[in-house]
């Protein structure tokens, strides 16, 4: 059976770092509160960078590591909920930037779960024999979506991009699961900032992220361990065989609770949210790139990736490195 293997990773972050101390000057909050409730210490915010420049930089690095030229890419899939424009899509803009002339490309939006949905779409294309080499990018510029006067959301998010190059592989493992619960979507919303509301101009101001934090927290803590279990069952392997669980980097307490419920030591749940905050669709590929660059991933390692977020949606993949 055809499956996929990640052959290269890359990431890109804006240069401007906003610390919790800096946020103390903007809203009524404290470094102590943010660290205790979320684990976040700072985040990167775009000043000049765009989702296209960040995604393109991450893509170039992933291609370099994979030893592939841009012209060899068959498909570019970009997971983002913060595109610069509604069209052209970010994937086409990245194609232009990196000169991937032979690639088709489109964007996909499943908010913070988007990278996993894109990875699974890539696997389906490869498995169907349609494409062989796919570039999957998770990128978001959440700083454009948050209300910087709302302390309950602005402290959480950051900007960034992560990319992986996927190749067809004979053998190896790739198991996937994805779910949505649109009926509960109201607990986390963000309107397009491009929307002009002809009948109700006031509604255009709802561009910012609105979130019932506690509901999202409970949803994540319940659904992440469930999907991990589902992946292990599908793959017919034990949790002890998994080297690392790369979860969406939203909140340290969510990851700790998920580790506890899964019955796996927290040391096998990599984290970097202390430096980047929640970068939405970019969080998992950025983390994966970091672990890869540190040489912490060995060929044959079994990894679980799991994301969750607006939709509500949650998705996971179990794959072999
Ligand atoms: O990709 C998915 C995106 N979303 C998430 O992952 C969010 C998941 N949820 C969370 O991470 C947590 O719910 C938050 C970090 C957002 C909030 O933590 P919490 O422990 O659920 O706090 P809370 O909302 O219950 O608020 C506790 C108190 C409230 O004050 P009172 O009512 O007890 O007086 C808030 O007004 O903390 C207050 N508060 C803050 N205080 C200082 C809320 N935000 C802040 C803040 N600084 N930034």
């Amino acid at each position: 059976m055809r499956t996929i293997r990640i052959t290269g990773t890359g990431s890109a972050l804006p240069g401007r770092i906003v610390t919790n101390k800096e946020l103390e000057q903007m809203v009524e909050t404290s470094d102590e509160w943010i660290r205790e409730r979320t684990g976040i210490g700072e985040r990167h915010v775009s000043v000049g960078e765009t989702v296209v420049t960040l995604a393109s930089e991450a893509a170039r690095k992933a291609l370099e590591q994979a030893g592939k030229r841009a012209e060899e890419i068959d498909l570019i899939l970009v997971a983002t909920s913060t595109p610069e424009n509604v069209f052209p899509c970010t994937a086409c803009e990245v194609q232009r930037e990196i000169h991937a002339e032979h690639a088709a490309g489109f964007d996909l939006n499943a908010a913070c779960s988007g990278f996993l949905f894109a990875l699974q779409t890539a696997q389906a294309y490869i498995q169907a024999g349609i494409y062989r080499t796919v570039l999957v990018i998770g990128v978001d510029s959440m700083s454009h979506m948050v209300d910087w006067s709302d302390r309950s959301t602005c402290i959480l998010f950051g900007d960034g991009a992560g990319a992986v190059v996927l190749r067809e592989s004979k053998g190896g493992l790739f198991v996937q699961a994805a779910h949505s619960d649109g009926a509960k979507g109201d607990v986390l919303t963000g309107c397009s900032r491009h929307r002009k509301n002809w009948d109700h101009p006031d509604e255009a101001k709802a561009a910012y992220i609105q979130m019932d934090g506690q509901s999202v927290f409970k949803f994540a803590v319940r659904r992440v361990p469930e999907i991990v279990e589902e992946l292990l069952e599908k793959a017919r392997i034990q949790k002890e065989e998994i080297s690392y669980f790369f979860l969406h980097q939203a909140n340290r307490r969510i990851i700790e609770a998920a580790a506890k419920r899964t019955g796996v030591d927290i040391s096998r749940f990599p984290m970097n949210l202390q430096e980047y905050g929640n970068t939405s669709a970019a969080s998992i590929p950025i983390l994966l790139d970091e672990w890869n660059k540190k040489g912490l991933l060995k060929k044959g390692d079994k990894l679980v990736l799991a994301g969750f977020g607006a939709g509500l949606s949650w998705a996971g993949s179990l794959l072999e490195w």
Side-chain angles (χ1 to χ4, degrees):
M1 192 184 73
R2 286 191 189 97
T3 181
I4 56 172
R5 222 177 251 284
I6 295 176
T7 57
T9 62
S11 59
L13 292 143
R16 172 77 159 92
I17 294 172
V18 176
T19 62
N20 291 345
K21 282 277 172 214
E22 202 172 337
L23 290 180
E24 285 178 3
Q25 314 302 315
M26 295 166 62
V27 288
E28 204 182 323
T29 190
S30 66
D31 178 44
E32 192 190 356
W33 191 97
I34 301 171
R35 284 182 194 274
E36 197 182 297
R37 301 285 178 127
T38 72
I40 298 165
E42 56 191 36
R43 70 284 297 140
H44 292 238
V45 166
S46 304
V47 182
E49 299 92 348
T50 68
V51 288
V52 176
T53 62
L54 291 170
S56 302
E57 186 185 335
R60 283 190 201 98
K61 289 177 181 168
L63 284 168
E64 191 183 334
Q65 205 201 34
K68 285 268 157 208
R69 285 175 294 116
E71 309 90 82
E72 295 175 88
I73 299 292
D74 300 317
L75 176 70
I76 302 172
L77 277 176
V78 175
T80 186
S81 50
T82 55
E84 285 297 309
N85 306 299
V86 174
F87 50 80
C89 65
T90 311
C92 286
E93 296 194 89
V94 170
Q95 180 204 23
R96 182 196 62 216
E97 290 299 309
I98 66 172
H99 308 292
E101 283 112 18
H102 304 303
F106 64 92
D107 292 6
L108 175 160
N109 176 2
C112 300
S113 319
F115 179 75
L116 270 308
F117 279 87
L119 201 65
Q120 298 177 0
T121 306
Q123 153 76 357
Y125 271 116
I126 288 173
Q127 201 160 31
I130 298 169
Y131 298 120
R132 297 184 65 176
T133 306
V134 183
L135 176 64
V136 176
I137 303 169
V139 59
D140 269 307
S141 194
M142 300 304 285
S143 63
H144 295 158
M145 284 284 283
V146 294
D147 175 355
W148 287 98
S149 65
D150 173 12
R151 69 176 183 174
S152 69
T153 53
C154 77
I155 54 134
L156 298 172
F157 296 98
D159 302 347
V164 298
V165 175
L166 300 173
R167 283 282 292 157
E168 177 185 346
S169 150
K170 298 255 158 35
L173 193 63
F174 189 90
V175 171
Q176 61 191 48
H179 301 278
S180 303
D181 184 1
K184 300 208 177 73
D186 283 353
V187 301
L188 179 50
T189 60
C191 256
S192 165
R193 67 203 132 95
H194 304 284
R195 188 146 142 203
K196 296 276 181 297
N197 222 304
W198 183 262
D199 293 335
H200 307 283
D202 285 351
E203 285 180 17
K205 73 178 186 302
Y208 298 128
I209 291 175
Q210 318 261 333
M211 182 175 69
D212 170 353
Q214 288 195 2
S215 295
V216 178
F217 192 98
K218 285 183 198 145
F219 145 74
V221 165
R222 184 171 149 225
R223 294 304 194 181
V224 172
E226 272 179 19
I227 206 161
V228 169
E229 206 55 53
E230 187 181 344
L231 291 168
L232 292 169
E233 268 177 33
K234 277 187 176 173
R236 294 209 181 91
I237 67 170
Q238 305 295 311
K239 60 189 178 210
E240 290 73 21
E241 295 174 57
I242 303 295
S243 303
Y244 291 111
F245 297 78
F246 289 93
L247 303 193
H248 170 48
Q249 302 288 292
N251 184 318
R252 194 197 56 221
R253 289 189 296 137
I254 292 176
I255 297 172
E256 284 170 353
K260 201 167 165 197
R261 281 200 188 190
T262 309
V264 173
D265 191 78
I266 191 71
S267 61
R268 286 200 277 145
F269 286 72
M271 276 188 248
N272 63 7
L273 55 82
Q274 54 280 10
E275 285 173 75
Y276 308 131
N278 177 348
T279 55
S280 191
S283 87
I284 293 174
I286 292 174
L287 186 62
L288 200 59
D289 182 48
E290 226 171 87
W291 249 243
N292 187 20
K293 294 270 158 59
K294 285 180 184 163
L296 295 171
L297 303 177
K298 297 186 300 296
K299 192 167 189 321
D301 272 357
K302 294 182 180 67
L303 312 176
V304 163
L305 319 183
F308 60 87
L312 295 173
S313 64
W314 61 109
S317 297
L318 193 161
L319 54 95
E320 209 169 308
W321 191 251

